[in-house]
């Protein structure tokens, strides 16, 4: 039995969360632009203050001593590096804080929509692509918001909010009316364990991919000495790469358990642990690619930049598994619910 009223309330909550996330994206983007411009000015002033002037010349930049032509004014490598402060002094954070507040509001809305969807069908809301999308979006937002409680992650906001919006919009495109599960999925224990692990892993991989993109962009800018605009608002490339690696270190074991619990559930449902079903194959492919990333990251012959590209290939495999395999390839896991 399904409850149409609860299903409708769930749909409204998800649509509302999309609207709020759009506002959060605008606020986070404004924060990046303002902070990046301030850091760029700060960096330019630092370099200018340490550049020697010709004899008799006067310095006119902000805060500089017009008569300072001492040998100590020669440029140093430290002076040419972008500032490492978390936030420029005297620069407003109101746009970033507003974006974070809106993200919290959207998180509660998505969570409410997910819970209402489950209540409307009286089961774990993971029976089709639409439900997978809203649960994965919920996990991604909860992880990002919880992480932001411990450290300032306002700069990461656009890179998390945008893919979450894409996931929710895709879920709406592949929307499925609230209904009961197909027989193969009608196992509450393994549905809640296996698919929950899968959605949580995907959510962490999405955040990991967001961090990987920020690292590659910032690293390219640092290599060419063009850390300008909003890129100046990001942490330094080595810190971004460390965070990227840490997120994948946490997500990979969860995907490993996803693979294991899926095999156990397959034995319960179909009487075998492994049958080379397309979904099983691509789940294993994803595992191999992310294992390759972690291995290449720990191998001295690979640069961190090259290893990060492997992580993004893993994200591409996740997208293929979620879209192409679900929609275009027929198998025992064909339960997208899309006509």
């Amino acid at each position: 039995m399904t409850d149409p009223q609860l299903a409708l309330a769930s749909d409204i909550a998800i649509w509302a969360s999309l609207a709020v996330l759009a506002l959060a994206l605008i606020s986070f983007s404004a924060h990046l632009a303002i902070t990046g411009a301030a850091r760029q000015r700060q960096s330019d002033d630092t370099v200018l203050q340490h550049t020697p002037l010709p004899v008799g010349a006067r310095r006119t930049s902000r805060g500089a001593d017009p008569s300072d032509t001492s040998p100590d004014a020669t440029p140093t490598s430290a002076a040419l590096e972008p500032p490492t402060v978390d936030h420029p002094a005297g620069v407003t954070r109101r746009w970033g804080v507003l974006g974070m507040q809106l993200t919290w509001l959207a998180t509660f809305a998505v969570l409410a929509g997910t819970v209402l969807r489950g209540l409307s069908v009286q089961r774990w809301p993971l029976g089709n692509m639409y439900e997978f999308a809203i649960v994965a979006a919920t996990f991604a937002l909860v992880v990002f918001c919880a992480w932001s409680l411990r450290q300032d992650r306002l700069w990461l906001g656009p890179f998390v909010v945008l893919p979450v919006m894409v996931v929710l919009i895709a879920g709406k495109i592949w929307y499925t009316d609230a209904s009961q599960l197909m027989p193969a999925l009608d196992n509450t224990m393994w549905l809640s364990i296996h698919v929950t692990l899968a959605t949580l892993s995907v959510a962490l991989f999405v955040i990991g991919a967001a961090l990987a993109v920020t690292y590659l962009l910032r690293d390219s800018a640092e290599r060419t000495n063009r850390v300008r605009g909003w890129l100046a608002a990001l942490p330094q490339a080595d810190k971004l790469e460390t965070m990227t690696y840490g997120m994948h270190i946490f997500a990979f074991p969860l995907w490993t358990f996803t693979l294991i619990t899926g095999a156990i559930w397959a034995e319960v449902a179909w009487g075998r642990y492994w049958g080379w079903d397309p979904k099983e194959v691509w789940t294993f492919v994803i595992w191999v690619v992310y294992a390759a990333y972690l291995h290449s990251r720990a191998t001295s012959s690979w640069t961190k930049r090259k290893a990060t590209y492997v992580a993004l290939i893993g994200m591409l495999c996740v997208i293929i598994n979620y879209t192409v395999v679900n929609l275009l390839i027929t198998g025992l896991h064909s339960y997208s619910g899309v006509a």
Side-chain angles (χ1 to χ4, degrees):
M1 295 294 293
T2 61
D3 188 328
Q5 296 301 321
L6 290 177
L8 177 60
S10 171
D11 295 344
I12 293 173
I14 299 300
W15 280 116
S17 70
L18 270 170
V20 176
L21 284 173
L23 295 176
L25 180 61
I26 294 173
S27 297
F28 279 133
S29 299
H31 172 76
L32 270 186
I34 294 171
T35 305
R39 284 188 179 175
Q40 182 178 318
R41 289 194 301 269
Q42 187 180 56
S43 179
D44 291 345
D45 287 349
T46 302
V47 173
L48 187 59
Q49 289 172 10
H50 289 79
T51 302
L53 296 177
V55 176
R58 297 177 62 84
R59 193 182 304 277
T60 59
S61 64
R62 295 180 300 271
D65 182 358
S67 61
D68 185 7
T69 57
S70 63
D72 291 339
T74 57
T76 64
S77 59
L80 298 177
E81 292 179 357
T84 58
V85 295
D86 290 335
H87 193 80
V91 178
T92 179
R93 297 172 73 247
R94 66 166 62 97
W95 287 106
V97 173
L98 176 61
M100 197 70 244
Q101 292 171 339
L102 290 170
T103 303
W104 272 105
L105 180 60
T107 301
F108 288 127
V110 175
L111 180 60
T114 302
V115 172
L116 288 170
R117 177 75 175 198
L119 292 175
S120 71
V121 292
Q122 299 180 6
R123 60 169 172 78
W124 206 251
L126 287 168
N128 49 61
M129 288 178 66
Y130 170 69
E131 294 173 358
F132 188 97
I134 62 175
V135 173
T138 300
F139 279 138
L141 290 173
V142 168
V143 170
F144 171 61
C145 289
W147 196 16
S148 298
L149 288 176
R150 299 187 59 185
Q151 293 176 305
D152 184 357
R153 291 289 179 262
L154 299 179
W155 54 267
L156 185 58
F159 302 96
V160 173
V161 169
L162 181 59
V164 167
M165 290 181 64
V166 171
V167 169
L168 289 175
I169 292 172
K172 283 297 183 181
I173 293 174
W174 299 318
Y175 180 79
T176 304
D177 290 332
S179 61
Q180 297 306 311
L181 293 171
M182 61 182 291
L185 296 180
D186 196 8
N187 187 313
T188 302
M189 182 182 73
W190 287 112
L191 177 69
S192 60
I193 295 174
H194 171 66
V195 189
T196 299
L197 284 173
T199 50
L200 178 57
S201 302
V202 168
L204 295 176
F205 284 142
V206 167
I207 298 177
L211 289 167
V213 170
T214 60
Y215 159 65
L216 292 173
L217 291 173
R218 174 77 190 208
D219 185 61
S220 296
E222 290 183 6
R223 286 169 179 266
T224 58
N225 198 24
R226 294 181 179 177
V227 184
R228 317 293 290 179
W230 61 269
L231 286 173
L234 300 178
Q236 292 180 344
D238 58 341
K239 296 180 180 179
L240 288 169
E241 196 282 329
T242 300
M243 285 186 279
T244 301
Y245 179 59
M247 187 61 66
H248 286 92
I249 281 288
F250 189 68
F252 181 73
L254 294 176
W255 191 256
T256 302
F257 285 121
T258 298
L259 191 62
I260 294 171
T261 56
I264 297 173
W265 190 7
E267 197 280 331
V268 172
W270 299 307
R272 88 290 187 277
Y273 290 99
W274 190 265
W276 297 104
D277 184 73
K279 197 74 171 180
E280 296 171 348
V281 171
W282 274 95
T283 301
F284 181 66
V285 168
I286 293 169
W287 185 89
V288 169
V289 173
Y290 279 114
Y293 160 67
L294 296 179
H295 176 73
S296 61
R297 172 61 169 71
T299 303
S300 58
S301 59
W302 277 67
T303 65
K304 293 179 179 179
R305 187 176 180 86
K306 288 181 179 179
T308 303
Y309 281 117
V310 178
L312 291 181
I313 293 174
M315 189 70 249
L316 177 62
C317 291
V318 170
I319 294 172
I320 292 173
N321 187 40
Y322 179 64
T323 56
V324 177
V325 175
N326 280 355
L327 297 172
L328 302 180
I329 301 178
T330 302
L332 293 174
H333 291 78
S334 299
Y335 51 81
S336 67
V338 180

